[in-house]
Amino acid sequence: LKARTSLFLFISQHIMVPEKRIKTEEDLEHFLKSPHFAALWKFLEDLNESCKDKTIPRERPALSPFLAGFLAILNKLEQWVTEIPPVNQPTRFGNKAFRTWYEKLAENTAKLLEEALPEGLKEHAEELAAYLTTSFGNETRIDYGTGHEATFFVLLFCLDKVRTPPHITFEIHEISCCR
């Protein structure tokens, strides 16, 4: 197989499906002192700065093709919520229909990303799919938490890294205008 560059250039030289690596307190301590954490923190600060002193325009702004493609994916996922009715069950825990939705997500995410990504970036679809899929929760426990939110943030970080030109930071505020 031909080696391809990973989204996380400073982690790996090859595209790879991400895996959970922070499993212990020591792992977390190591990560918090790493250049990887520093890069994620810098991205968060850049996102924050890119939104300062910006107003949400009355008219929906023109989206870049890149961001429009990503937004189309999110719209498709929302459409599936409508298509997959909730299971009639006690409501103490998450609805089991989520498992059906999640299965559809897992089966289709790479394809949806491939369709949305511009030429030259389609090779990253499988790697990005792992982040996008995981960011929606756990299909076994039917739960959602801060780790899933963090995974979505890492997805945005990765999307920023594959952009040509890089940096979606000045477009991120547009998402709030697209409701």
Side-chain angles (χ1 to χ4, degrees):
L1 293 174
K2 182 176 97 177
R4 298 176 290 172
T5 305
S6 175
L7 296 172
F8 261 116
L9 295 174
F10 45 83
I11 293 175
S12 171
Q13 296 303 311
H14 306 289
I15 290 177
M16 54 194 261
V17 176
E19 63 182 72
K20 183 176 181 175
R21 293 189 178 175
I22 301 174
K23 299 176 183 175
T24 66
E25 287 293 323
E26 291 88 19
D27 294 341
L28 179 59
E29 285 179 35
H30 177 74
F31 173 69
L32 292 175
K33 295 175 185 172
S34 73
H36 320 312
F37 177 76
L40 288 166
W41 190 260
K42 173 81 169 90
F43 180 64
L44 179 63
E45 289 175 335
D46 289 348
L47 282 175
N48 184 47
E49 286 299 316
S50 74
C51 295
K52 280 186 178 176
D53 300 321
K54 297 249 180 6
T55 58
I56 297 176
R58 293 180 190 267
E59 305 268 333
R60 181 177 176 174
L63 300 175
S64 68
F66 186 80
L67 191 55
F70 185 66
L71 188 60
I73 291 172
L74 296 177
N75 288 334
K76 177 60 110 176
L77 302 181
E78 184 177 29
Q79 177 187 334
W80 292 346
V81 169
T82 305
E83 293 171 2
I84 300 169
V87 173
N88 188 8
Q89 67 176 58
T91 58
R92 178 180 157 105
F93 300 104
N95 193 282
K96 292 178 183 174
F98 175 74
R99 290 185 179 135
T100 304
W101 182 88
Y102 194 94
E103 184 178 323
K104 189 170 187 170
L105 171 70
E107 289 172 0
N108 291 284
T109 306
K111 180 179 178 247
L112 290 171
L113 282 163
E114 237 177 76
E115 292 169 1
L117 291 170
E119 290 302 321
L121 299 180
K122 294 181 185 299
E123 69 181 16
H124 295 289
E126 187 175 336
E127 189 173 2
L128 289 168
Y131 289 114
L132 183 58
T133 302
T134 303
S135 71
F136 281 95
N138 181 287
E139 79 280 14
T140 303
R141 294 188 313 267
I142 311 178
D143 73 351
Y144 182 82
T146 55
H148 302 106
E149 293 169 345
T151 302
F152 189 79
F153 174 72
V154 172
L155 170 69
L156 293 178
F157 174 81
C158 290
L159 288 171
D160 183 64
K161 296 303 167 206
V162 299
R163 273 296 301 281
T164 307
H167 306 299
I168 60 171
T169 55
F170 297 103
E171 294 182 82
I172 290 297
H173 72 280
E174 296 174 10
I175 293 174
S176 66
C177 304
C178 303
R179 295 180 206 144

